[in-house]
């Protein structure tokens, strides 16, 4: 029987199923877009697009059907994949329960009540940053804050593209940093690092980009006419669950305990304030589970396919090719960045890009001694950079679509791109961190045991 612990022989042909998956995903979006279908890249779910790739893997790889099926199931049942999927559904439940209790509306109105109207564009950026880092979803943030942003732009005679650029930038800030974002979950699990450790590595890149963006928006985003906002009703207690999840996760509490506690806290507060009943609380938990079904299923299927591709030498071949380019830590990090940018551009989904590239990044990390906290940060950062600027990505499509739905002057996705300053600055600081090591974690990584040295020392005691 073949020893699965032995490194497989490099085989470039084994990557063909992954290439088929990306091509099917890309071709479907392009064809539907040419037919005038809105949100073309999101009409056919990713788990459906991956099925031809899985079928091809079963056909082309050697061995009996039973052996190949066992490999596939072994990949689906990988510990990191299962943990990732469980975190997804808990994060979905927390986001849904908190939103249904009125938490998102309270956060938006509370923030707007604090921001002077002459700085409203910068304020939209800040609100989007906080909503997205609290809820873990850029799309949800744009959907929640977008109508307010469009209304503010109209009242203040502001360039609509500028305001939407600020909105999308803030949404991508939290998508990249949030401890309950699906991109963070995927990046940390594939690289086997803690969420707080990845956050610490990431924030050194994201915060300078956000601060500069905020300053620019303060200067150029002043309204030309007076902005009068409607009554901003909020209940501060509804904001507490978001603060609890953010603070407790960063403090190092177990993520399952964090999210479960957050769900219970949101439910209790929602029932207490009248936004929920016991019945709607239970229904919202399941609705949150259901909302994560697509990414849950995709993670399982991708895990199975990835194991089959890896077992047949596909990942090893790709790593060998990268080895021929990468000579040290810096060039290895550049390789991870480029791979992530290309994959996200092809799939128009930053979580999918991370799930695909995660195993390759982990191999590069081991081979070139790239700190896994850095590789996790790079996977998340560069996938969010690309996702936040492609005109066919969900974030920009939804932002542009709001201008049509709300009856204002329609803005095309391409018109928003010149105002996506945060994403551009995020890429700049991420690249700078390769050559000027200001974002490196302070404690070194123990590559033999795959843990931080500080953690290894604690365990030894």
């Amino acid at each position: 029987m073949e020893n699965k612990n032995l490194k497989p022989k490099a085989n470039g042909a084994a990557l063909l199923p992954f290439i088929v998956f990306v091509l099917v995903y890309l071709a479907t979006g392009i064809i539907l877009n040419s037919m005038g279908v809105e949100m073309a890249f999101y009409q056919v779910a990713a788990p459906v697009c991956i099925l031809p790739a899985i079928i091809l893997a079963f056909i082309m790889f050697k061995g009996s059907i039973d052996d190949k099926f066992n490999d596939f199931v072994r990949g689906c049942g990988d510990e990191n994949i299962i943990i990732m999927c469980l975190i997804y559904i808990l994060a979905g439940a927390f986001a849904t329960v908190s939103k249904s209790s009125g938490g998102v509306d309270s956060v938006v109105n509370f923030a707007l009540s604090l921001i002077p109207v002459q700085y409203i564009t910068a304020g939209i950026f800040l609100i989007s940053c906080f909503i997205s880092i609290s809820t873990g979803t850029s799309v949800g943030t744009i959907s929640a804050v977008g109508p307010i942003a469009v209304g503010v732009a109209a009242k203040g005679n502001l360039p609509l593209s500028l305001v939407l650029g600020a909105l999308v930038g803030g949404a991508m800030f939290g998508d990249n940093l949030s401890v309950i974002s699906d991109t963070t979950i995927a990046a940390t699990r594939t690289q086997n690092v803690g969420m707080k450790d990845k956050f610490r590595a990431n924030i050194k890149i994201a915060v300078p980009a956000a601060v500069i963006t905020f300053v620019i928006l303060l200067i150029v985003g002043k309204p030309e006419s007076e902005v009068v906002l409607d009554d901003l009703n909020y209940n501060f207690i509804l904001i507490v669950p978001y603060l609890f999840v953010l603070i407790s996760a960063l403090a190092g509490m177990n993520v399952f305990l964090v999210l479960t506690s957050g769900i219970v806290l949101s439910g209790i507060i929602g029932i207490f304030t009248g936004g929920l009943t016991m019945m709607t609380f239970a229904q919202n938990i399941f609705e949150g589970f259901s909302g994560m079904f697509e990414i849950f299923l995709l993670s399982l299927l991708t895990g199975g396919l990835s194991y089959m591709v890896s077992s047949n030498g596909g990942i090893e071949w790709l790593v060998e090719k990268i080895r021929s380019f990468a000579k040290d830590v810096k060039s290895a990090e550049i390789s991870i960045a480029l791979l992530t940018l290309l994959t996200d551009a092809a799939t128009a989904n930053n979580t999918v890009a991370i799930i695909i590239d995660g195993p390759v990044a982990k191999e590069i990390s081991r081979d070139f001694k790239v700190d896994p906290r850095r590789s996790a940060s790079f996977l998340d950062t560069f996938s969010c950079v690309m996702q936040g600027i492609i005109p066919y990505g969900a974030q920009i499509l939804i932002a542009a679509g709001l201008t049509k739905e709300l009856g204002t002057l329609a803005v095309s996705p391409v018109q928003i791109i010149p105002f996506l300053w945060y994403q551009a600055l995020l890429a700049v600081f991420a690249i700078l961190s390769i050559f000027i090591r200001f974002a490196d974690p302070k404690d070194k990584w123990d590559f033999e045991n795959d843990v931080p040295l500080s953690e290894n020392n604690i365990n030894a005691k």
Side-chain angles (χ1 to χ4, degrees):
M1 189 175 181
E2 185 184 355
N3 187 350
K4 294 291 181 185
N5 292 322
L6 293 176
K7 237 179 189 179
K9 184 179 178 181
N11 176 19
L15 287 171
L16 189 58
F18 267 143
I19 294 171
V20 167
F21 169 43
V22 172
L23 289 177
V24 169
Y25 203 99
L26 187 61
T28 302
I30 291 172
I31 292 169
L32 291 176
N33 187 64
S34 67
M35 295 168 61
V37 177
E38 291 188 3
M39 300 289 290
F41 281 82
Y42 302 90
Q43 293 302 315
V44 179
V48 176
C49 293
I50 203 173
L51 290 178
I54 293 171
I55 293 169
L56 176 62
F58 272 85
I59 293 171
M60 67 179 287
F61 294 148
K62 294 179 181 178
S64 67
I65 289 293
D66 287 343
D67 287 341
K68 286 184 277 192
F69 186 74
N70 287 337
D71 276 353
F72 180 74
V73 172
R74 190 176 289 113
C76 292
D78 179 84
E79 178 185 359
N80 285 321
I81 296 292
I82 297 301
I83 290 172
M84 187 162 58
C85 290
L86 292 175
I87 296 172
Y88 281 147
I89 62 172
L90 288 175
F94 171 72
T96 303
V97 171
S98 299
K99 181 180 178 182
S100 297
S101 67
V104 173
D105 291 336
S106 281
V107 170
V108 173
N109 289 341
F110 174 69
L112 284 173
S113 69
L114 297 178
I115 298 167
V117 291
Q118 65 266 34
Y119 304 127
I120 199 67
T121 307
I124 291 292
F125 175 73
L126 277 187
I127 293 169
S128 300
C129 286
F130 185 75
I131 293 285
S132 58
I133 205 170
S134 302
T135 61
T137 166
S138 53
V139 169
T141 299
I142 293 167
S143 300
V145 184
I148 296 171
V150 172
V152 165
K155 289 179 181 179
N157 198 23
L158 283 160
L160 193 49
S161 297
L162 169 65
V163 176
L164 292 177
L167 169 67
V168 176
M172 298 315 298
F173 173 86
D175 196 324
N176 179 212
L177 277 181
S178 176
V179 291
I180 60 171
S181 165
D182 48 6
T183 57
T184 294
I185 295 164
T188 53
R189 292 316 309 176
T190 57
Q191 304 307 294
N192 192 32
V193 300
M195 289 187 178
K196 66 173 182 178
D197 293 328
K198 179 260 181 188
F199 180 90
R200 288 169 181 167
N202 225 158
I203 199 168
K204 295 173 185 176
I205 298 170
V207 166
V211 169
I212 294 174
T213 302
F214 179 70
V215 171
I216 293 172
L217 291 172
L218 285 177
I219 297 169
V220 304
K222 294 181 180 180
E224 294 182 5
S225 56
E226 186 179 357
V227 178
V228 179
L229 298 174
D230 299 327
D231 292 336
L232 301 172
N233 297 317
Y234 64 87
N235 188 342
F236 188 80
I237 195 173
L238 293 173
I239 305 173
V240 170
Y242 294 119
L243 296 175
F244 167 80
V245 166
L246 180 62
I247 294 168
S248 57
L250 294 179
M253 186 185 292
N254 179 278
V255 65
F256 291 102
L257 182 58
V258 168
L259 290 172
T260 302
S261 302
I263 293 167
V264 173
L265 181 60
S266 289
I268 292 172
I269 291 174
I271 292 169
F272 176 76
T273 56
L276 296 172
T277 64
M278 283 298 296
M279 180 65 72
T280 56
F281 176 40
Q283 290 171 342
N284 278 303
I285 290 175
F286 186 72
E287 184 182 335
F289 289 170
S290 302
M292 287 293 185
F293 176 72
E294 182 178 336
I295 193 64
F296 182 103
L297 181 58
L298 178 65
S299 297
L300 285 179
L301 296 178
T302 306
L305 179 61
S306 180
Y307 189 88
M308 293 179 75
V309 169
S310 180
S311 297
N312 287 273
I315 301 297
E316 182 62 25
W317 181 88
L318 188 56
V319 171
E320 280 192 5
K321 292 300 176 186
I322 291 173
R323 262 192 218 112
S324 65
F325 162 76
K327 306 300 179 186
D328 52 19
V329 170
K330 292 179 182 178
S331 52
E333 289 180 344
I334 292 171
S335 300
I336 294 172
L338 289 174
L339 187 64
T340 307
L341 288 169
L342 291 172
T343 307
D344 187 84
T347 60
N349 189 308
N350 45 352
T351 307
V352 173
I354 292 170
I355 293 171
I356 292 173
D357 294 337
V360 181
K362 188 61 177 175
E363 286 292 325
I364 296 172
S365 168
R366 290 194 193 101
D367 285 358
F368 294 95
K369 299 297 183 284
V370 174
D371 192 308
R373 293 163 291 190
R374 285 277 290 168
S375 59
S377 173
F378 268 46
L379 284 169
D380 205 341
T381 297
F382 282 99
S383 67
C384 284
V385 166
M386 183 58 74
Q387 186 65 27
I389 62 173
I390 50 176
Y392 50 89
Q395 289 77 3
I396 294 180
L397 287 174
I398 291 173
L402 286 170
T403 63
K404 294 180 182 178
E405 292 176 15
L406 298 173
T408 58
L409 181 65
V411 171
S412 74
V414 175
Q415 288 175 291
I416 301 174
I417 292 176
F419 299 95
L420 300 173
W421 299 327
Y422 170 72
Q423 290 88 312
L425 288 166
L426 181 63
V428 168
F429 278 97
I431 293 168
L432 280 176
S433 75
I434 297 174
F435 301 99
I436 306 171
R437 311 298 297 187
F438 63 87
D440 285 359
K442 289 184 178 179
D443 65 328
K444 301 299 181 183
W445 190 264
D446 180 354
F447 286 91
E448 184 177 347
N449 296 297
D450 205 24
V451 294
L453 278 175
S454 57
E455 184 178 321
N456 202 30
N457 293 335
I458 291 171
N459 292 336
K461 292 177 183 178

